[in-house]
Amino acid sequence: MRRALALMTLVLTAGAAALVAQGPNDLVVVVTGTKQFHQPSCPVVAKAGSHVKIMKRSEATRKGLTAHDCGSAPGAYVDPNTVKVYTQPGDNKYHLASCQKLGANRTQITLEEAGKKLWPCPVCHPPIRQRTPQS
């Protein structure tokens, strides 16, 4: 009886975790040298600086990486409407203000706006907008 109860608890816990999982094409962040992938707003990613790689969730799982429990870390959510990033004419990427690839003709936009139509710069590694059910 205890074994069945333990198994049922495990199944329910795994099912709840699956409800918050991202889709296979959503972008995740991998800190170089680790075996886990993170949500872009995870504090672990912020502390890693430029030692990160961005890839699709499906690629990370294919490489044997596991999901970090980013939601339990303090400060895990970043409001994409308050974060400012930069873009420039003719560029399909958004950047941090300090990016070496960003020219003088720059436009400031919100992360929410940038994340819907542009890719994050692979040089300066700006934050990545998390998808919400309505976006």
Side-chain angles (χ1 to χ4, degrees):
M1 181 69 170
R2 284 184 181 171
R3 195 176 224 181
L5 185 58
L7 181 59
M8 189 181 311
T9 303
L10 179 64
V11 169
L12 290 174
T13 304
L19 290 175
V20 296
Q22 292 182 331
N25 290 326
D26 287 347
L27 296 177
V28 295
V29 181
V30 178
V31 178
T32 306
T34 65
K35 303 264 184 208
Q36 292 184 316
F37 59 88
H38 305 266
Q39 296 292 324
S41 61
C42 180
V44 173
V45 173
K47 290 178 186 173
S50 63
H51 303 286
V52 296
K53 290 182 184 178
I54 299 170
M55 62 181 69
K56 290 183 179 179
R57 183 182 178 94
S58 58
E59 180 183 355
T61 55
R62 194 170 40 250
K63 290 183 175 191
L65 303 175
T66 58
H68 177 253
D69 187 16
C70 302
S72 66
Y77 176 73
V78 174
D79 184 358
N81 289 306
T82 61
V83 176
K84 302 298 182 193
V85 292
Y86 298 85
T87 187
Q88 56 194 353
D91 193 0
N92 66 345
K93 296 178 178 49
Y94 62 93
H95 309 266
L96 295 173
S98 60
C99 183
Q100 64 188 15
K101 296 288 186 180
L102 191 59
N105 189 9
R106 59 179 74 181
T107 305
Q108 182 180 16
I109 59 176
T110 65
L111 179 59
E112 177 70 21
E113 189 179 353
K116 290 181 179 180
K117 59 185 176 183
L118 302 169
W119 288 93
C121 173
V123 175
C124 66
H125 304 289
I128 301 172
R129 178 184 69 97
Q130 291 182 325
R131 291 185 183 176
T132 56
Q134 65 272 14
S135 60

